[in-house]
Amino acid sequence: MSNARLILALLLPIIGGCASHAPAPVEDRGAAPATAKPAAEAAKGAAPAVDQGVYHTVRKGETLYSIALDNGQDYKDVAAWNNLDNPNRIRVGQQLRVSPPDNGAPVAVAKPVSFGAPVEVKAAPTQGQAQAVAPSAANTESLKREPKGGKLAYSEEALAKAQQTDAVEKPAEVKPEPRPAEPAPAEKPIAAGDDVDWMWPSNGKLVAKYAEERNKGIDFAGRLGDPILAAAAGTVKYVGVLRGYGNFLVIRHNKSYISVYAHASKILVKEEQSITKGQKVAEVGSSDTDSPKLHFEIRYQGKPADPQKFLPAR
């Protein structure tokens, strides 16, 4: 019996030591942490870009050259904007872009979704930090309370001194003198033709005036071979043949204005050639008309305008 007690006494410390250890924590790594959806997925519902370019639907009898002319554009640019390898291959009902792709139209831009700024959690200050802050607070309180105002017995001398101190501490407010209103600058009048220096393209007799519905320009009578002159300096943008115009050419003078010369018998310039005012560019003919004449147009941003409103007095 004494041996059993001895063995039990030896085993008790070992059993107690094993029981005192807590079980190791179990970490579950199987579940993936929840994450917010990326901003790219949230932005999928954004509105697509909006194309606000100007388009023209091709009608029967129209050509790429006439469409470009009516919209004040170079036919080569219109062909490029519409990926046309052959300018002669357009079909009725086809929609053609007649304005540059980069014409400033607003484009809808998807904005990334904002998930807000994270909340900053500050730990409570330790005892040492609290002691470091305490003197600062005490100093602030002392600054608020000091200096203390004293009390003086009333006298004429004390009153005069107090008034003198107030006058020094509070100088009189000086208000700036009001400036006279500046007159608004006079609005500069718009010069006819955006400052294009126009001249008459022919010395022939004027036989037809501008009519908005019937005649898009003015007509000059002439004889075969009479000179056709450039009405202003510019660059030749087109030389070709067009139904209703015959042999004709187009000169661009600036971003807004072009001039058209039609029914020529001979054209003496080529595309992209720089032209001076008064230069002979063609000769009067009767192409696609019943008699020798010059048909002349001035167009503002592609729209016909009355040339006599721009040409000098004659």
Side-chain angles (χ1 to χ4, degrees), residues 25-33:
V26 178
E27 182 180 357
D28 184 5
R29 296 185 179 181

Side-chain angles (χ1 to χ4, degrees), residues 158-231:
L159 177 61
K161 186 175 182 180
Q163 291 176 345
Q164 184 178 3
T165 303
D166 290 343
V168 173
E169 292 180 355
K170 298 180 180 180
E173 182 180 358
V174 179
K175 295 183 178 180
E177 296 182 0
R179 297 176 60 184
E182 296 181 1
E187 186 176 354
K188 182 180 179 181
I190 299 175
D194 284 357
D195 294 331
V196 176
D197 187 13
W198 298 102
M199 66 169 284
W200 291 82
S202 172
N203 294 323
K205 181 181 178 181
L206 185 64
V207 293
K209 294 184 178 181
Y210 171 83
E212 186 173 354
E213 298 297 331
R214 301 188 308 274
N215 193 9
K216 296 180 180 180
I218 55 179
D219 295 344
F220 298 89
R223 295 174 299 181
L224 288 174
D226 282 351
I228 297 175
L229 310 177

